[in-house]
Amino acid sequence: MLKSDKYCVIMAGGIGSRFWPLSTQKFPKQFQDILGTGRTMIQQTYDRISKAIPNENIFVITNKEYVALSHQQLPEIPEENVVGEPLMKNTAACNLYMANKIAEINPNATMIVLPADHLILKEDVFLEKVELAFNIASTHDYLVTLGITPTRPDTGYGYIQFVDKKDSDYYKVKTFTEKPILEIAKSFLESGDFLWNAGIFIWNVRSIHKAFETFLPEMTQQFTACEYNAEAELSCIELIYPKIQKISIDNGILEKAKNVHVIPADLGWSDLGTWTSVFENSDRDQNENAVNIKTVLTYNSTGNIVHVKNNKAVVIDGLKDFIVVDTDKVLLICPREHDQHIKEYVLDLKSLKKGEKFM
């Protein structure tokens, strides 16, 4: 059998702080079954991409703290394909790290980079767009991304503006915009030439290496100092990571490069980054409450998301549009419209209860 030139990197190093208190530093959301499907988020990501890429070509980049958990949840992937970063350095470093590893294995490789914790309901469309992206990236010096067709003026997502060419499957990217205010998000939707940035990227290893050499040369030199084989690599990575710049692949590369192209895609996509996004993608009862267990009774209550562990009996009366999450250590009750404040709650709790581990 011919060796495939298609590779995948699943990024699984985040802690999902906006999804606290269910997502914690010890057990982040990508390793949890958020929607009760029977498969965790990282397992669902693997399930989708494994239909297009062989197991031996699928890699996971995560925090070294989660390497064992990744092995446990994805036994199909070769053990050496799960790579642990010594420190969290955002997405530029992990992309270069994995591009180097894959290039050592196959200098003709084209790779797709996927977040581990996103929901994609239209799997057939996803696989169709991925195939198109591989065809483009393997034959052109392009950095390709999938852009999600927006359904509302959401201020929680980044946006990609493209240069419109009629009757094309993909477009040259004009600008990237990070999480705009509502008025600007509305104008983006009205213009018709903006897409949501899903953080899904496809490129061949030569193109991404050229981009790093151009826009992040110091990072390129730091990684070049490490040999990508056996124990020498691991010890070197431990030494260089504290010195590496903490920057996203978007800010470091994509916002500056002139060869970025986007494929519009209606994937039934959500980043499941907040409790509100989970509410929107969950089954709801006749009163529009999303409840994860059967031992919850609601009265005069609508539009709530209730997530309780251990089948605890819960009675809720007179609550509208709230988040109620009960874990072994924390009870969270807040309006759904305040879900962007959850990071602040975590910081305030740390200040209030120093010495106690809430995370």
Side-chain angles (χ1 to χ4, degrees), residues 11 21 47 52 66 91 115 126 171 194 228 251 263 278 286 295 308:
M11 296 186 294
D47 291 344
Y66 310 137
T91 54
F126 169 75
Y171 305 94
F194 282 84
Y228 287 86
N251 296 147
I263 300 173
V278 173
Q286 66 272 21
T295 53
V308 182

Side-chain angles (χ1 to χ4, degrees), residues 275-276 278-280 282-292 296-307 314-325 333-337:
W275 282 107
T276 294
V278 173
F279 171 82
E280 291 168 347
S282 297
D283 293 331
R284 300 193 284 276
D285 64 18
Q286 66 272 21
N287 295 314
E288 286 296 297
N289 294 306
V291 180
N292 75 312
V296 176
L297 294 177
T298 60
Y299 301 90
N300 308 307
S301 297
T302 61
N304 302 295
I305 178 166
V306 182
H307 199 287
V314 177
V315 179
I316 295 176
D317 191 349
L319 211 57
K320 182 179 180 182
D321 297 336
F322 264 71
I323 300 166
V324 180
V325 183
I333 303 172
C334 75
R336 270 177 36 215
E337 64 182 3

Side-chain angles (χ1 to χ4, degrees), residues 18 154-157 179 273-276 323 334-345:
R18 289 182 298 162
D154 199 302
T155 60
Y157 296 146
K179 299 180 180 178
T274 64
W275 282 107
T276 294
I323 300 166
C334 75
R336 270 177 36 215
E337 64 182 3
H338 291 176
D339 67 355
Q340 296 290 341
H341 300 332
I342 286 178
K343 282 187 177 181
E344 298 171 28
Y345 303 157

Side-chain angles (χ1 to χ4, degrees), residues 257-271:
K258 303 300 182 185
N259 61 335
V260 184
H261 289 71
V262 62
I263 300 173
D266 177 9
L267 303 179
W269 172 89
S270 171
D271 71 348

